[in-house]
Amino acid sequence: QKLAQLCKEADANLSRAVAAESKVNTLERMLHERNQEITSLTNQLVELDTELTTAKTKSGDAKSEEAEGHRRSMEGEHARRKYLWVQDELNLAETNLKHTNEKFGRIPEKADKFERQVDGLKRQRDIWKEKHEVPDFPSRSNHTLS
């Protein structure tokens, strides 16, 4: 009877040992799977960290490019305003030149008119001299318009 009981206990212990071994194997397999999952997640984390670093770099580059674009836009606006100012100055200069040319263009006409008046006055003087028989005075001849 003791032997049967010992056999029974041995069978029970064997059964418990097999169950425990099975449970250990299951837990080891689960631990291995969890370790693989941790490794996979660690790799994903490294990849995501690399992508984040790349994205931050691109974001910084984009911000730099945006700032450069804004600076160029401001330079372009300044250049546009300067061009318009120069264009206005050119238009004003052209208008002034046109008025000056018109004034100078009338100078020969006025000079011709004054020459004709002087010639006419000289003729009138000569006619008056002939009528009144006035001799030429040497001191006054220096002041004549001829």
Side-chain angles (χ1 to χ4, degrees):
Q1 210 182 10
K2 222 174 185 194
L3 188 58
Q5 188 169 354
L6 282 175
C7 274
K8 197 176 182 184
E9 279 181 28
D11 284 341
N13 285 338
L14 181 63
S15 207
R16 275 190 3 239
V18 168
E21 188 178 353
S22 174
K23 192 170 185 178
V24 165
N25 286 340
T26 302
L27 289 174
E28 283 180 348
R29 194 173 0 92
M30 286 175 63
L31 178 63
H32 181 68
E33 288 172 2
R34 294 288 186 249
N35 283 337
Q36 284 182 335
E37 189 176 336
I38 288 171
T39 302
S40 174
L41 290 173
T42 302
N43 290 339
Q44 286 179 354
L45 182 61
V46 167
E47 287 177 17
L48 289 174
D49 190 44
T50 302
E51 287 179 21
L52 178 62
T53 302
T54 303
K56 283 182 180 178
T57 302
K58 286 181 181 179
S59 174
D61 291 347
K63 285 180 183 177
S64 295
E65 288 175 8
E66 179 185 12
E68 179 66 17
H70 180 69
R71 185 186 65 77
R72 286 184 181 175
S73 173
M74 294 301 289
E75 286 177 354
E77 180 62 23
H78 176 72
R80 187 186 67 79
R81 278 193 237 123
K82 189 171 184 177
Y83 170 78
L84 292 175
W85 177 79
V86 168
Q87 190 68 34
D88 288 344
E89 289 293 315
L90 176 63
N91 290 340
L92 181 63
E94 286 175 344
T95 302
N96 289 341
L97 178 63
K98 180 181 174 187
H99 290 305
T100 302
N101 283 340
E102 287 174 1
K103 286 179 184 178
F104 282 128
R106 289 186 292 239
I107 287 176
E109 295 170 9
K110 287 183 179 183
D112 288 344
K113 176 183 171 186
F114 289 132
E115 272 186 53
R116 286 192 301 272
Q117 286 178 350
V118 166
D119 289 343
L121 289 172
K122 282 181 181 179
R123 279 192 301 276
Q124 286 179 3
R125 178 196 66 192
D126 292 342
I127 291 171
W128 190 84
K129 276 183 177 181
E130 284 178 16
K131 273 187 183 177
H132 299 291
E133 296 180 11
V134 177
D136 282 337
F137 294 108
S139 62
R140 288 193 146 219
S141 64
N142 293 338
H143 297 291
T144 60
L145 296 175
S146 58

